[in-house]
Amino acid sequence: MEKLEVRNVSMSFDGRKVLDNVSITLRAGELVCLLGVSGGGKTTLFNIISGLLVPDQGQVFLDGEDVTGKPGRISYMLQKDLLLPYRTIEDNVALPLLLRGVPKKQARKQAVELFDEFGLEGTETLWPAQLSGGMRQRAALLRTYLFSQNVALLDEPFSALDTLTKASVHRWYLDVMQRIKLSTLFITHDIDEAILLSDRVYLLTNGHIDAELEIQEKKPRNPDFNLTPEFLAYKKQILSHL
């Protein structure tokens, strides 16, 4: 059974069709990328998957259950980390638990227990302004994980990071995904990033899925994979559809 399934989703705004009969799947443990130019409907699709929008037609299934229009079932992390500047890192991360009604002391304890796993040890009492961009993203990703431990939607989560930090966070995130058995659907405009991270890539063009590409290379990919003929072949294939 698919972990997440988007089935025949269409959506229009003011008479303009933004999504046209879109169907995608996410299997357990996969990292699947949604790639396309700006304005292609990617964020609208994420809003539908997360339950923030109800599509004109189509359904969203999580572990076989229809969750269309039901927010709070699938975690969603936007491009910016959105850490609250007036809360410590442990309180920022514990926020999803507090919103569920978990007592503050217990919520902090549950959150802090995962700090080592997410490479955040020693940051518990720091403020967001005291962390680097990469560490802030780790905190935001842990908060996303605590919101829903099955599936994470990430909307360009690494775009604000410099090249070296991004490469480090990529390796870290793939490792964490494997250890905590997380399935991820993420949006990017970066073709290289999509090829380096993904099991599969969906190309979303003008509101419909134009192609699906499976990346055959094992993860984590070799550091010099982006210099190989295989990498360039994947890139040419993607560019031919965009």
Side-chain angles (χ1 to χ4, degrees):
M1 183 183 293
E2 310 293 353
K3 193 71 180 169
L4 175 71
E5 182 183 4
V6 176
R7 190 183 298 171
N8 307 121
V9 162
S10 295
M11 188 77 183
S12 297
F13 293 110
D14 298 325
R16 183 177 72 88
K17 183 155 282 190
V18 178
L19 295 172
D20 184 11
N21 199 35
V22 170
S23 295
I24 64 174
T25 60
L26 176 67
R27 304 179 192 112
E30 271 194 319
L31 191 151
V32 172
C33 170
L34 201 60
L35 180 67
V37 299
S38 297
K42 298 184 298 300
T43 298
T44 298
L45 181 57
F46 264 32
N47 286 336
I48 289 171
I49 294 172
S50 65
L52 298 175
L53 287 177
V54 178
D56 298 332
Q57 70 175 50
Q59 295 166 289
V60 179
F61 295 90
L62 178 65
D63 291 323
E65 179 188 351
D66 188 344
V67 294
T68 312
K70 298 177 181 178
R73 304 297 298 277
I74 300 173
S75 58
Y76 185 4
M77 178 177 159
L78 301 174
Q79 181 176 350
K80 294 182 179 180
D81 59 65
L82 299 179
L83 296 178
L84 300 174
Y86 50 86
R87 286 180 178 263
T88 62
I89 299 304
E90 66 179 359
D91 283 343
N92 264 285
V93 169
L95 191 57
L97 302 174
L98 295 171
L99 292 175
R100 279 193 224 135
V102 177
K104 189 172 185 179
K105 186 175 180 179
Q106 183 182 341
R108 281 178 170 173
K109 184 176 183 294
Q110 285 183 236
V112 169
E113 284 175 352
L114 288 164
F115 269 48
D116 285 359
E117 191 86 59
F118 277 73
L120 290 165
E121 61 277 7
T123 68
E124 292 84 351
T125 60
L126 298 181
W127 305 98
Q130 294 176 280
L131 298 190
S132 66
M135 294 296 280
R136 288 172 63 104
Q137 287 301 89
R138 291 187 184 209
L141 286 163
L142 175 50
R143 182 177 62 187
T144 300
Y145 172 70
L146 286 172
F147 182 85
S148 171
Q149 298 182 7
N150 289 316
V151 174
L153 307 179
L154 308 182
D155 190 346
E156 294 196 80
F158 313 121
S159 61
L161 303 177
D162 63 79
T163 302
L164 293 178
T165 301
K166 183 185 290 189
S168 173
V169 173
H170 282 172
R171 291 191 296 272
W172 164 80
Y173 187 70
L174 290 176
D175 181 56
V176 167
M177 264 192 68
Q178 185 177 31
R179 282 188 277 122
I180 65 177
K181 296 177 171 52
L182 179 65
S183 306
T184 303
L185 182 65
F186 84 110
I187 288 174
T188 184
H189 294 97
D190 187 333
I191 296 174
D192 289 13
E193 181 174 64
I195 298 170
L196 289 170
L197 290 181
S198 303
D199 295 290
R200 290 182 294 123
V201 179
Y202 286 105
L203 303 179
L204 186 63
T205 308
N206 297 322
H208 66 272
I209 299 296
D210 193 45
E212 178 188 350
L213 178 65
E214 185 172 354
I215 310 297
Q216 299 286 348
E217 304 296 322
K218 290 183 179 180
K219 295 189 304 182
R221 268 123 217 182
N222 292 327
D224 60 351
F225 174 59
N226 60 339
L227 302 176
T228 64
E230 291 80 8
F231 179 90
L232 293 176
Y234 285 124
K235 192 166 185 175
K236 287 178 181 178
Q237 191 173 350
I238 290 172
L239 286 170
S240 71
H241 290 279
L242 297 178

